[in-house]
Structures are given as C-alpha cells and as structure tokens.
C-alpha cells in the first residue's frame, strides 16, 4: 500500500467536499481581548501583520485575560515551576489541584470533584469507566451529545440506546423496556454548543428517577455562565442535587484549561481508581490549576461578567435579525448564523478575515450535520458597540456577495441546461 497516496487522496476528498479545515495563525493580545494579531499565510513569517477581532472564542467571559487569573498563574509558576512533575498518582498532585477540586465540589453542591486534563478527557474517562465497569449497565444517550461523550460510551462497550434530542417522553419509553433493577445511566448536556438549545433537565431527572437510573450532565458550555455562582443551568434551575454527576470544563467560561467531574465521594474515588484516562496522564501544571481556581472563586461572587455578556449576546442577536441575517433562535449565549453549504461557509469566513479583519471559524461536518454549515458567534463582555456595528455591516456585505455570486452561477447553469 502506498500510504502517502492514501493520505493525500483522503485529504483531497475532504477538500472536495469543502470541509477541509484551515487554522488561522493568531496571537491573542493580553489585556485587549477580543483583539488578536494575525500572522501572514506564508511560511516562516516572523511578525504578525493585521489586528483582527475574534468572534468565535470559547473564552466566553474573557477570564483568560482577567488580572486575578494572570496574577495567580504568575505566582504559582514562580513558586512551583512549570510542570506538575508526574501523574496525579506519582508525584503530580500539587496543592492547587486539591484546592481546585474542593472549590468545584462546592460549586455544584457535591461531596467531591476530580480534575482531568480537558473536558474531552473527563467525558471520555468518566463515561467509559462508569458504563464499562458497572455490570450490565445500559447507557441512554441524547442523540446530539458531544463527540467526547459518544467516544466514552463507545469505549465502555456497554449497551447504548439513543433518545431523541431533548425528548424526555422518548427517553421514558426506552427506559420502560428494561427492568428497574438493571443499572442504567442517562447522559446528556445542558447547553448544546452548536444550536445553543438547553435541555429540560428537571424533566429528564424525573424520568431517570422513576426508573432508578443515574444521571450524567455535561455542563461544559454552561459552567461559569449560568446560575447565581456560575454552577451552570442545573444550579440556575435548582436541580443540581438531583444529578448523579455533573461534568464541566475550565477551558471555556473559566478561561484556562482542564476538565472535571463532580459527584459523590465514592463515585469520584471509583473513577479516580479505575479510569485509565485519569491514571496514566500527567497532571495539569500547577499554574493552570491555580489560574482556574482564581477564576472559579471570582465568578462565584462576581456577576458583572455574566450580566455584561448577556447584554452583548442580546444586542448581537437583535442586530443580526434586524439586518435580515439567518440567525437561529435559542435561549443561550450561542449565536448560530446559518449558511447550509460548506463552500459558501468557508468563503464567507475567508472574506470576513481577509477583507474585514473579523475572525469566525466555519462550522461544518462532522461537528454539525451535512447541510447545516454555519458561523458560530460567541459575543463576550469585551466586544464593544463598534465591534458589533462592524460585525453586522461586514456580515451583511459578505453574505450578499457570496449569495449573489452563487445565484449567478446557478442561473448560468440553468441557462446552459
């Protein structure tokens, strides 16, 4: 087999479908988010040339630039050095990890929490361990769950049933097929990051409780953003105590890096003791844990960031709708602007970057289904009125150019036929 030809052929097929991904070479500007510097496309470029406005960052509240977070990280790296020094089991547990786990357990009203190197790893490790090691466990998974949850469930080799997205009645019908005494785990998210819709958590908990099923809630796109202390949608709705396990990230609203689970002492200890994704990986650097700790503690008491972000989100949604742009309605902070074609989506984002210095990454398959390609905007507290004005005007102009060109191409094809 010619391996290089195989790789090249598959990549060319990817490009042909319009879903080949290109990374923008950016440099975030400390203290000036959402501004960033863009490096030229040519190889070996030594200096960035253009300043761009980032409209697709998951640093939802700009905590990656917050003085408390930066000070905590500087102090920790001066005190502890760069790396953790090992896995959590072998010399890698630093005091910042212990303090952060306590803070996260308190955030969700749980007995314990367990840190991982990312939200992807925490989902993969926790779900694969729970579903794989509980005898005859059946997993009931929302059909729109994140890839990390899907991979964790698949790796567990447990029986899986998909229930219709955000549909407690369908979940109930599936659960009714199994004996009450058989172990069951219901896995779902609170905020779904591509459409921005929110799960009916209380109703799902009610169904799960009726069938003696555990509940596993991914709050990755909600922690820090919702609830009085940033405990997520479950905290906002007063149902955190009904969930067996809450999973979250430190890399989005908290602005740093890492993932975690929060649950009972025994459950967290079980995952700690049996999850290969925890046991065999190096611990988060102490400075990262310290920065995350400072961020979590700050957002427990400060509501300013959340309030300002909500105002920015509402303004962007309102302005885009007034401009006649195809914004998908939802109750969250996610602003999807629908395109529907991968090539058009890529052209729109390329033009926004090259002609208007606006960076938005095209979202296409496999992140979303074929034909639902989109822009995913994430307004932050630091996006100014002038940033919003520039975004709306630029989107109007680029959408008109791309759609007009496509209409012209289709007219020529029709005439030729």
């Amino acid at each position: 087999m010619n391996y290089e030809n195989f790789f090249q052929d598959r990549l060319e097929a990817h490009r042909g479908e319009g879903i080949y991904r290109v990374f923008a070479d950016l440099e975030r500007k400390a203290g000036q988010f959402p501004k960033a510097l863009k490096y030229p496309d040519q190889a070996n470029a030594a200096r960035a040339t253009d300043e761009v406005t980032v409209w697709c960052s998951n640093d939802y509240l700009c905590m990656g630039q917050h003085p408390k977070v930066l000070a905590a990280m500087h102090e920790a790296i001066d005190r502890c050095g760069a790396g953790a020094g090992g896995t959590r089991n072998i010399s890698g547990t630093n005091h910042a990890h212990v303090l952060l786990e306590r803070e996260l357990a308190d955030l969700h009203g749980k007995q314990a929490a367990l840190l991982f190197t990312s939200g992807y790893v925490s989902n993969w490790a926790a779900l694969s361990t729970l579903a794989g090691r509980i005898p005859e466990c059946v997993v009931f998974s929302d059909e729109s769950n994140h890839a990390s949850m899907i991979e964790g469930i698949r790796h567990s080799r447990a029986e899986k049933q998909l229930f219709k997205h955000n549909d407690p009645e369908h979940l109930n019908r599936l659960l009714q097929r199994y004996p009450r005494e058989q172990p069951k785990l219901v896995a779902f998210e609170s905020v779904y990051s591509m459409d921005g819709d929110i799960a009916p958590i209380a109703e799902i908990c009610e169904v799960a409780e009726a069938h003696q099923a555990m509940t596993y809630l991914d709050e990755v796109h909600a922690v820090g953003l919702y609830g009085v202390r940033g405990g997520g949608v479950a905290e906002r709705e007063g149902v955190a105590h009904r969930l067996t396990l809450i999973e979250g990230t430190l890399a989005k609203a908290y602005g740093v890096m890492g993932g975690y689970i929060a649950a009972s002492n025994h459950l967290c200890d079980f995952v700690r003791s049996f999850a290969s994704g925890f046991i065999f990986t190096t611990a988060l650097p102490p400075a990262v844990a310290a920065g995350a700790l400072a961020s979590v503690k700050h957002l427990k008491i400060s509501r300013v960031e959340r309030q300002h972000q909500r105002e920015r989100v509402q303004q962007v949604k309102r302005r885009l709708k007034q401009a006649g742009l195809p914004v998908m309605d939802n109750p969250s902070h996610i602003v999807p602007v629908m395109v529907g074609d991968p090539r058009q989506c890529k052209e729109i984002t390329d033009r926004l970057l090259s002609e208007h210095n606006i960076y938005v990454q095209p979202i296409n398959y496999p992140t979303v289904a074929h034909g639902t390609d989109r822009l995913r905007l994430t307004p932050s507290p630091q996006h100014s009125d002038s940033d919003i004005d520039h975004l709306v005007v630029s989107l109007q102009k680029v959408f008109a150019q791309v759609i007009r060109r496509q209409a012209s191409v289709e007219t020529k094809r029709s005439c030729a036929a």
Side-chain angles (χ1 to χ4, degrees):
M1 180 178 187
N2 188 317
Y3 299 107
E4 290 300 312
N5 283 349
F6 171 82
F7 300 145
Q8 184 177 5
D9 289 345
R10 292 301 180 270
L11 289 170
E12 288 303 320
H14 223 45
R15 290 187 179 92
E17 293 177 45
I19 59 176
Y20 180 79
R21 300 182 180 192
V22 178
F23 297 157
D25 188 353
L26 303 177
E27 183 174 282
R28 283 160 61 99
K29 298 179 70 174
Q32 298 182 49
F33 184 85
K35 304 301 180 185
L37 295 175
K38 180 183 181 297
Y39 280 79
D41 293 332
Q42 62 263 32
N44 303 316
R47 298 181 62 185
T49 53
D50 297 322
E51 182 180 84
V52 301
T53 303
V54 179
W55 274 100
C56 56
S57 174
N58 282 340
D59 188 359
Y60 292 136
L61 298 178
C62 308
M63 292 303 294
Q65 308 286 310
H66 197 281
K68 287 184 181 179
V69 175
L70 300 184
M73 296 185 75
H74 281 298
E75 194 276 333
I77 203 166
D78 288 341
R79 187 179 70 252
C80 304
T87 65
R88 288 291 299 276
N89 187 49
I90 304 176
S91 84
T93 295
N94 284 258
H95 192 51
H97 299 124
V98 177
L99 295 178
L100 178 54
E101 286 173 339
R102 290 174 185 169
E103 202 72 35
L104 291 167
D106 173 77
L107 175 67
H108 295 292
K110 300 299 184 184
Q111 293 177 336
L114 189 66
L115 282 173
F116 295 83
T117 50
S118 73
Y120 192 104
V121 173
S122 56
N123 268 334
W124 181 87
L127 282 166
S128 63
T129 301
L130 291 171
R133 287 186 172 267
I134 298 175
E136 299 182 10
C137 183
V138 181
V139 181
F140 298 81
S141 177
D142 187 291
E143 65 182 0
S144 294
N145 276 343
H146 189 264
S148 58
M149 302 175 77
I150 295 169
E151 286 298 318
I153 295 165
R154 179 183 295 140
H155 186 75
S156 76
R157 298 185 179 179
E159 181 181 350
K160 178 184 72 173
Q161 295 286 344
L162 290 180
F163 64 92
K164 293 177 183 177
H165 180 51
N166 283 347
D167 190 338
E169 292 183 5
H170 186 232
L171 171 63
N172 186 55
R173 292 196 298 272
L174 292 175
L175 284 162
Q176 286 174 340
R177 300 175 184 175
Y178 295 84
R180 283 176 59 82
E181 64 273 13
Q182 183 167 1
K184 297 176 274 299
L185 175 63
V186 177
F188 62 110
E189 301 179 41
S190 58
V191 177
Y192 287 83
S193 62
M194 291 300 123
D195 288 352
D197 54 337
I198 296 178
I201 300 174
E203 290 89 339
I204 290 175
C205 285
E206 185 175 344
V207 170
E209 289 162 359
H211 296 276
Q212 296 185 346
M214 296 183 294
T215 45
Y216 184 112
L217 178 65
D218 177 320
E219 288 258 45
V220 159
H221 291 275
V223 290
L225 295 167
Y226 300 89
V228 175
R229 302 193 306 159
V233 178
E235 183 195 34
R236 185 188 71 178
E237 299 182 0
V239 294
H241 64 286
R242 299 178 67 177
L243 293 150
T244 308
L245 182 153
I246 294 174
E247 186 266 350
T249 186
L250 303 166
K252 293 181 171 59
Y254 292 120
V256 193
M257 179 184 176
Y260 66 89
I261 60 171
S264 68
N265 282 324
H266 289 318
L267 191 156
C268 286
D269 198 15
F270 181 83
V271 174
R272 182 188 71 88
S273 300
F274 293 103
S276 62
F278 176 84
I279 295 170
F280 296 107
T281 191
T282 300
L284 285 173
V288 172
L293 176 62
S295 187
V296 173
K297 292 175 72 171
H298 175 79
L299 289 176
K300 279 184 176 180
I301 59 175
S302 174
R303 299 184 181 124
V304 173
E305 293 82 5
R306 288 190 282 274
Q307 290 170 349
H308 197 188
Q309 189 228 25
R310 282 195 290 270
E311 186 276 325
R312 298 283 88 182
V313 169
Q314 290 167 2
Q315 183 172 340
V316 169
K317 287 182 176 180
R318 181 176 65 252
R319 292 285 307 280
L320 292 175
K321 289 177 183 177
Q322 289 172 348
L325 290 158
V327 182
M328 178 186 288
D329 282 324
N330 64 52
S332 76
H333 61 284
I334 307 295
V335 186
V337 181
M338 304 306 292
V339 179
D341 178 87
R343 294 172 186 83
Q344 287 187 356
C345 199
K346 180 69 164 59
E347 183 179 353
I348 288 169
T349 56
D350 284 350
R351 283 176 175 259
L352 285 172
L353 187 58
S354 63
E355 300 171 14
H356 302 279
N357 287 335
I358 290 174
Y359 173 53
V360 183
Q361 188 70 14
I363 305 295
N364 47 38
Y365 182 82
T367 306
V368 295
H370 287 294
T372 66
D373 309 82
R374 67 196 66 184
L375 315 183
R376 177 182 176 274
L377 306 178
T378 53
S380 79
Q382 298 300 322
H383 281 99
S384 66
D385 288 342
S386 61
D387 289 333
I388 295 173
D389 291 340
H390 182 53
L391 172 72
V392 174
V393 170
S394 301
L395 276 172
Q396 277 186 301
K397 184 179 296 185
V398 172
F399 260 76
Q401 291 169 340
V402 172
I403 292 171
R404 185 168 59 244
R405 184 189 59 76
Q406 183 63 26
S408 175
V409 170
E410 290 176 357
T411 300
K412 289 178 180 178
R413 287 175 180 169
S414 178
C415 292

